[in-house]
Amino acid sequence: MAECNCENPLVPSMVEVVDIKDETPDVKTFYVRSENGGVPFNVMPGQLAMVSHVPVGEGMFSVSWQEENDHLQFAIKSVGLLTEQLHNIDIGQMIGVRGPYGNGFPVEECKGKDMLFIGGGIGLAPLRSFIKYCFKYREDYGKITIIYGSRSYADLCFKDELFEKWPAMKDTEVFVTIDNEEENWSGHVGFVPSYLQEINPDPQGLIAVTCGPPIMIKFVLQALEKMGFTDEQVITTLEARMKCGIGKCGRCNIGSEYICLDGPVFNLAQLKKLPPEW
Amino acid sequence: MREITNQIKDIARKLFEEKKIDMFLAWEKSEFDFQSMPFFARSAEEVEKIIFDEFSVHNLSNALLRFRDGKQRIGIVVKGCDSRGIVRLLEDHQFTRDRLYIVGVCCPGMKDPLKAFRNESGFEKTANADLEADKCNDCIQPNPVIYDVLLGEEQPPRMQGERFKKVKEIEAMTPDERYAFFEDKLSTCIRCYACRQACVACNCRTCIFDESRPQWVGREANTSDNMMYHIIRASHMTGRCIECGECERVCPVHIPLMLLNQKLIKDVDSFFGPFDAGLKYEEGAKPPLSQYRENDPDDFL
Amino acid sequence: MKVMKKAKVEKVIEALAKEHDVYVPIQRGAQTGFFSYRTYNEDYDDIMLDTLNVYQPPKSIVFPQTEKMYGFKSEGQKINIDQVFEESEPKIIFGLRSCDLKAIDYLDELFFTKSYEDEFYRARRKSTVMIVNACYNPGTSCFCDSMGVSPNEPENADVLIHDIGEGDFAWEAKSDKGEAVTELIKDLLEEQEATLPTLKNFKRKVDYEGVAEKLKDMFDHPMWEDMSYPCHNCGICTYMCPTCYCFDIQVKTAGEEGYRFRCWDSCMYREYSQMAGGHNPRELDKERFRNRFLHKLQFFQERYGEPLCTGCGRCIVVCPAGVSIIKVIEKVKEADV
């Protein structure tokens, strides 16, 4: 569980948006830095932070990357009031952040293993923090396979990494799919779970990490189980409506666990012990 | 009442046996004598638990909303006011008549289990000797207005004296007095939305108060947001409230919600009437504020 | 034994109110609850130390229904958080019952343990003194002893007072905080022989033993659907509950200024777990009903070692539809799994 080092954990610290990158028509990545330079706090892959456009609202997002002690990146999809307003801000805007929250991915336990990342839509944002971590400490991890899909080509996030940087990395394979046929798309067409079954990775020594819409996660988990992955080999990261982020406000529970505190990362063995309410 | 209970059981049993219904809505007894509670029987065996007694105060038509998207055929027991709730649901296209088997009961006036429990609870300084549901004192329609079978003897309206008497008292106040009166009452609201949830006319799929884009009313439990909540809710009831009084009965802080509703009932009646909501079901009929007429009063423009 | 005579009760409250905001159980019009003695009006208000309890539990004193968190001002792209509202005025809750004290113990567990401490709660809580009115005469809907609460010998009271008849109360300081407030009013207490009443039998019993354990296998049990039918999914039970603590965080902005606040929320509301993208893990009424009872009877027990119910009985009394947590517990006990 995350340690709190701030005085009042519910009060955000203010950071400046130093860059904004359009990923897709409805996803932007926000680069934020403390006023006095550097990151407001250190984040491990898969951990969360509460981002507030202070006059509008607060929402919990996965930190999609921490670039050394320089800045944090949040890839945010416009789906509601807060995210719409965030998409309207310009570089230079001050926003609030508090965190880091949650357990993050088990980066230590995965060392020495081959890694399989399976993402859908904006679900690549949390996986990206782990993927980039694996590349940063490339020698610690084995073969890296990334399977990612979105509704359309335009909806694929992090295209430069997906099509250029990551495939060029050592011992790495990237498989991309889109839901429907499109002009100028010669790649795979179909949903992520079925593409996964086509690729049919050998579970031996492999850890699968998945994130995407709840319905995709459900089918991916089924597919992995069918391929012979054990429950301990399968990791996912969940989302829920969150307000406090510190395990008090109640709503993000699955059974007696709180996604904000005990999650958002669970392996399938842990998840199976909990009620199917996610 | 025992006689009526038996009649209801016989009807419900027969309906199940003839496979005409999938569910029957009535009451069952809970732990205390005064605790009648809504009961949802799903088989002829479960019918045995059904009771109808002087504490069967709840308006069960509200519970139909739970099944509005289903296909179940439902038997339901209604009193006069509750039957107006059925008309509300039919007029609002929330339910179809062919899915319902309506057992109407002429209502002699009900006692209030909440009042009885308050007496027992020890959470108040004084006990209330009279267990009569307050809402029944304003009843203008004790006999069901829509039914497949009618039980009990027709009852005279229980409302005594002048209708809208309390409303007129409030109308007679100066604006400042009136504001102070409602400020006092509404400042205590805890925003539990029990009034909304108990209301059959509150049948919007997404309530305006649950909307977040935009958020029409703030979530703070303070006088201004509370007033906003109650004024908007009351205005949404205009020409639609069927006077079952459940909102006021269930309110844990005793806000006189029916005063607001009665005021609007009175105004709709005088501006657009004569009209009382849900007294008669005619297919296609709409409440006055759901239609436009050239001769609608427009003094305020 | 120290005794507060009937004639001195109000004087004691007055004396304590000099340095504290004292909350007293009061019947105010149609309502009963803990109201600040500063708002006491003898023409309308009736102090209720002689009744079983009041409707509105004292949790709002340490955890208000609506609580400002911090204020901000914006200037162009700059935004400054200029105020954090941590409210720490010394308070006394005068005459709360064991069930409600236990409920505050549970709030302490929630807000002070498991990685984070809630500073807003701490500010209010640490300055609050609990003067507990020992309970010897359980009411119709009371079942606190079934939920592990001692009605007359509560743990963690600062002062324990006992109704010894004739409106007189025996007064026992139980903690340093209790000694300190006793010191403030010592001249108003008398030293005399006093026999404490005997605890009367509970009219209600419920067997909670093993329920949390059993519920682990009952998530899909049909009883949840059956029992949830009458429930309106309103928030009465959660707002009247002395232990329910779920809250929402929202913002109020007017022009360049505003403040963030938190307010009680209810797991009964659909919006509670509704995500911005549209997904809701507890979309159905039944699912929200089940979550409420599982939270109280299983999840809180698993996480904090005790059930999130102190047997005060309020939810049973106020439920418009007659839903009863006692019946839920009994159904769990009876259920075949």
Side-chain angles (χ1 to χ4, degrees), chain B residues 31 42 66 118 125 215, chain C residues 27 55 204 226 231 250:
Chain B
E31 295 151 277
R42 280 172 302 171
R66 192 176 274 268
R118 281 206 296 276
K125 199 91 180 170
Q215 187 186 47
Chain C
Q27 172 106 35
Y55 272 109
R204 309 301 308 271
D226 293 350
C231 172
Q250 298 224 355

Side-chain angles (χ1 to χ4, degrees), chain A residues 191 193 212-222 278, chain C residues 279:
Chain A
F191 294 127
I215 187 74
M216 185 209 89
I217 296 187
K218 273 174 196 169
F219 284 113
V220 165
L221 295 182
Q222 281 173 19
W278 44 275
Chain C
H279 179 65

Side-chain angles (χ1 to χ4, degrees), chain C residues 87-296:
Chain C
E87 204 279 308
S88 58
E89 187 186 2
K91 286 177 268 297
I92 292 174
I93 307 180
F94 192 98
L96 77 162
R97 295 295 189 176
S98 283
C99 49
D100 292 344
L101 177 73
K102 189 71 173 179
I104 290 172
D105 288 347
Y106 292 162
L107 295 182
D108 290 352
E109 282 287 320
L110 171 84
F111 284 119
F112 293 149
T113 70
K114 309 278 177 201
S115 301
Y116 291 91
E117 300 197 4
D118 186 297
E119 296 300 326
F120 298 105
Y121 180 80
R122 170 193 296 287
R124 286 177 203 271
R125 177 66 181 93
K126 82 173 176 209
S127 61
T128 304
V129 182
M130 304 291 176
I131 300 184
V132 181
N133 189 358
C135 204
Y136 290 94
N137 204 353
T140 322
S141 49
C142 293
F143 58 105
C144 69
D145 71 334
S146 299
M147 301 312 289
V149 178
S150 164
N152 57 335
E153 289 166 1
E155 299 158 33
N156 302 338
D158 294 312
V159 174
L160 190 58
I161 61 174
H162 309 262
D163 188 339
I164 50 172
E166 312 293 322
D168 298 345
F169 287 87
W171 180 289
E172 289 182 278
K174 291 284 193 183
S175 71
D176 294 347
K177 271 180 174 178
E179 297 286 358
V181 295
T182 304
E183 189 62 24
L184 295 174
I185 48 119
K186 61 174 194 278
D187 298 340
L188 295 164
L189 301 179
E190 282 166 30
E191 198 64 46
Q192 72 172 59
E193 288 284 302
T195 324
L196 300 186
T198 23
L199 176 61
K200 294 212 177 108
N201 283 337
F202 274 80
K203 300 173 188 103
R204 309 301 308 271
K205 288 268 177 203
V206 64
D207 181 11
Y208 175 67
E209 179 83 44
V211 166
E213 219 19 65
K214 192 169 177 186
L215 279 169
K216 284 182 185 165
D217 298 318
M218 288 184 64
F219 191 78
D220 293 316
H221 198 279
M223 70 169 258
W224 298 115
E225 177 140 7
D226 293 350
M227 297 201 90
S228 71
Y229 277 143
C231 172
H232 292 166
N233 288 89
C234 72
I236 287 192
C237 53
T238 54
Y239 287 0
M240 301 302 268
C241 176
T243 69
C244 271
Y245 56 73
C246 288
F247 62 88
D248 193 355
I249 295 177
Q250 298 224 355
V251 70
K252 194 136 206 172
T253 306
E256 307 298 300
E257 293 181 23
Y259 55 89
R260 188 148 283 155
F261 63 92
R262 66 173 168 195
C263 57
W264 295 350
D265 201 354
S266 172
C267 57
M268 287 284 144
Y269 301 162
R270 184 175 284 123
E271 203 195 356
Y272 172 79
S273 53
Q274 174 80 51
M275 283 192 262
H279 179 65
N280 190 342
R282 286 185 283 271
E283 178 75 35
L284 301 178
D285 296 353
K286 173 192 88 174
E287 294 165 343
R288 298 198 294 281
F289 178 91
R290 174 176 60 196
N291 185 62
R292 172 169 151 82
F293 287 104
L294 290 183
H295 183 211
K296 297 217 159 286

